[in-house]
Amino acid sequence: MLGQPLFTHETPPEGLPVDKVYVVEQLKAGHPVYLAITTDRTKACPVLVMSKGGDTDFEALTAARNPKLLVKAPLDYAKGVTAEVVSTICEPFELHADSEHLTALLHNLFTFFKERDATRIEINPLLRESTTGRLVCANPKVSIDNAASKRQAQIFDLRDRSQEMAVELEAEKHGLVYIQLEGNIGCLVNGAGLAMATNDAAAFELILSDKRVNTILVNIYGGIIRCDMIAESIIAAAQNFQQVPIVVRLQGTNAAQGQQMIAERALKLHAVDDFGSAVQKAVNLAGPSPTTTGQMSIPSREGLEQQETVSSQQPIHGCPSVEQTRLAATQPHRATSNALATLQYGTRIIGGVSPSAPSTTKTSIPHPHPSLSHLPVYPTVSQALRQLPSKPTATAVLVPATHAASAILEAIECEIPLIVSVAEHVPLHDMFRVHAALRTQTKSRLVGPNCPGIIVPPARCRIGIMPHLQYVPGCVGIVSKSGTLSYEAVGATTRAGLGQSLCIGVGGDMLPGTSLRDGLEALLRDKGTKGIVLLGEIGGEAEIEAADFLQGWNAGVGLAERKPVVGMVTGITAPRGRVMGHAGAVAGGSPTAEEKIKALKAAGVTMAIHPREIGVLMRSLLKEQGLLQ
């Protein structure tokens, strides 16, 4: 075995090298039980999972959804494993005689789960040894949250990099995510929070390390990062890779300037505005993939058809007006450019909070930027509320991920009605604490984290980081897990002459404050919204829950009151088990992208297979229902 590759369902196709073999005690045992502590994404809390038999595949077990196969016990994050939880699991597994030992074992496991930022602890199986009767944790597996790597440095120092792909490790050094697929087109894309402007050269080099790649497609939607900055970086990097054609599609902030810069350079750069045209251009340049036969093309609707064979938080219903919405932006020193853009858009900002503001003074200090000097800055939210002439109705939490939970909890404590957090990679256990606080109150609602925010074009109200210049007042509401995909939907509905009424980016975090279902309900209740775009992706069950809610809603209203919904779910071809960009988008497990599409179609949603279809489909549906003049 030593020196040979190991092949299992958890290894890549080429296997992993075996350089260590552990010799363990042989046990004589019976009655194996599967045991895990993991995350309930719907309830936003840890959950204890047990099943008879042991040696169980977790995804297969949870996909069965059969209460006879497993028992799930949600865990209060503060209380942990209580006597009630132990009693719940002892009965079906006949463990009453072991309850005292089991209580101690589960308590220790949960303590480790919390203190070490674990995302899952698996005991597969838990055994009762025949000779002594003791419970033994055999074949344990532990997953630690990558977002908590700094505070869990001692554990991450044990990481065995020989078991990982060299190209992925190199990408990690540059703050990139590299995922190897089977084709010959290398894709360089951005998602929320990825600072593309500083990483293009490294990204090109990583992509071209795969010798099959003969064309690169760059598809960037600039929000925080301007497209002209991205274009400068791409041009500089492309000078070193002139043997490979690069198709560049830029949208968002300063997109026209960026595309013009690309087009004017005498390099193998092809500037294309439209998403679909950019993809087709890359396909034509690349030719057939060495792993496929025949000519590649953009998926067709026919091809997709053949492939398919309640909250305690503050509601977010209605469209706030400029007069109703007052925004207190936390950390203005970090978010100066965003605050300027938000003010220019028309949103009312009344102050900010920054820990760097002196805590000893009884008054605020002015913002250091000349154009924002009229805004007071306070050291804490509570002091801001005491001294501001009017209480803010919303706050944008623009702080790094490691500090996001503290800022959100402070806003909840001060009962700010709407809290928007854009930070990506907030540690999972920080969000457990946030949700525990949200469940104890009814005054505040959280949107995010890991989201672009909320924008109401008719009211000129922007709370977040979205490229606001492309938003046009209109009649289509958008709710999305993906930030950049929501921008695509905005562009598509704008080109279709429909515009937007209310756009809610719920974010791709594993534990979002506002779910896809919550956002859908807000748009169904919003009087300014005639049609809805719902955008999902792999990972979690939010799309299934939204589909179930929509079916129930439509069953309770007349045909004339039903709003048309266009949906899209991304990740059909994503490799199993890989995190595609952020914590919530995990390929594999159940439900799959295909199952989500099927559920949404059953709820009456018209599914798009490409972002460019969204506006055309929505316009057609609105006309059919007589909702367009």
Side-chain angles (χ1 to χ4, degrees), residues 200-500:
D200 286 334
F204 284 147
E205 189 171 346
L206 287 164
I207 288 172
L208 292 175
S209 68
D210 185 337
K211 300 307 179 184
R212 295 171 301 175
V213 172
N214 60 19
T215 303
I216 294 178
L217 170 62
V218 179
N219 184 28
I220 303 294
Y221 227 112
I224 295 179
I225 304 299
R226 305 195 319 264
C227 288
D228 55 328
M229 294 171 57
I230 296 168
E232 286 180 5
S233 183
I234 291 173
I235 290 168
Q239 294 179 20
N240 299 319
F241 306 104
Q242 295 191 44
Q243 73 278 16
V244 175
I246 302 174
V247 180
V248 182
R249 187 259 184 163
L250 301 176
Q251 287 292 307
T253 307
N254 292 354
Q257 296 95 310
Q259 288 290 77
Q260 184 176 356
M261 292 166 63
I262 296 291
E264 290 174 350
R265 291 299 175 128
L267 298 169
K268 279 193 173 182
L269 294 174
H270 304 265
V272 183
D273 292 330
D274 177 66
F275 189 3
S277 299
V279 172
Q280 191 63 65
K281 179 71 172 180
V283 169
N284 292 341
L285 288 169
S289 167
T291 59
T292 62
T293 57
Q295 177 67 32
M296 296 174 66
S297 63
I298 299 173
S300 66
R301 177 163 301 281
E302 291 75 20
L304 181 69
E305 294 291 342
Q306 294 169 1
Q307 199 173 27
E308 289 178 329
T309 10
V310 182
S311 174
S312 62
Q313 298 186 53
Q314 181 78 3
I316 53 175
H317 306 149
C319 288
S321 67
V322 177
E323 291 74 23
Q324 292 172 326
T325 303
R326 303 182 178 94
L327 176 65
T330 58
Q331 285 286 56
H333 295 288
R334 294 180 179 271
T336 297
S337 61
N338 192 65
L340 286 169
T342 300
L343 281 170
Q344 291 166 3
Y345 185 61
T347 306
R348 184 183 176 195
I349 299 178
I350 62 174
V353 173
S354 173
S356 61
S359 58
T360 54
T361 178
K362 294 183 179 179
T363 60
S364 64
I365 61 171
H367 194 287
H369 193 281
S371 298
L372 299 174
S373 59
H374 64 289
L375 294 176
V377 179
Y378 302 90
T380 65
V381 176
S382 58
Q383 184 173 330
L385 294 187
R386 289 195 301 270
Q387 296 184 10
L388 284 169
S390 55
K391 183 178 178 180
T393 56
T395 179
V397 179
L398 305 173
V399 301
T402 51
H403 303 292
S406 296
I408 294 169
L409 289 169
E410 185 183 11
I412 293 171
E413 184 179 350
C414 293
E415 299 182 348
I416 306 293
L418 179 60
I419 306 163
V420 176
S421 174
V422 304
E424 189 175 18
H425 301 307
V426 177
L428 177 67
H429 285 256
D430 288 1
M431 289 308 300
F432 280 143
R433 293 191 292 113
V434 167
H435 277 277
L438 288 170
R439 282 190 285 268
T440 65
Q441 55 81 57
T442 59
K443 301 292 185 181
S444 300
R445 167 171 288 279
L446 171 65
V447 175
N450 189 16
C451 77
I454 294 180
I455 188 167
V456 189
R460 310 291 291 179
C461 176
R462 173 192 190 242
I463 311 175
I465 59 172
M466 62 287 292
H468 59 283
L469 295 178
Q470 69 161 348
Y471 289 76
V472 176
C475 64
V476 177
I478 300 172
V479 57
S480 176
K481 287 169 69 174
S482 166
T484 48
L485 188 58
S486 73
Y487 306 159
E488 296 286 357
V490 168
T493 51
T494 296
R495 289 192 297 273
L498 301 173
Q500 304 81 41

Side-chain angles (χ1 to χ4, degrees), residues 105-125:
L105 185 150
L106 293 176
H107 173 76
N108 290 339
L109 286 176
F110 187 72
T111 299
F112 180 91
F113 181 80
K114 286 183 66 172
E115 292 181 352
R116 297 301 185 182
D117 282 285
T119 57
R120 182 189 296 179
I121 298 177
E122 242 181 325
I123 311 299
N124 191 13

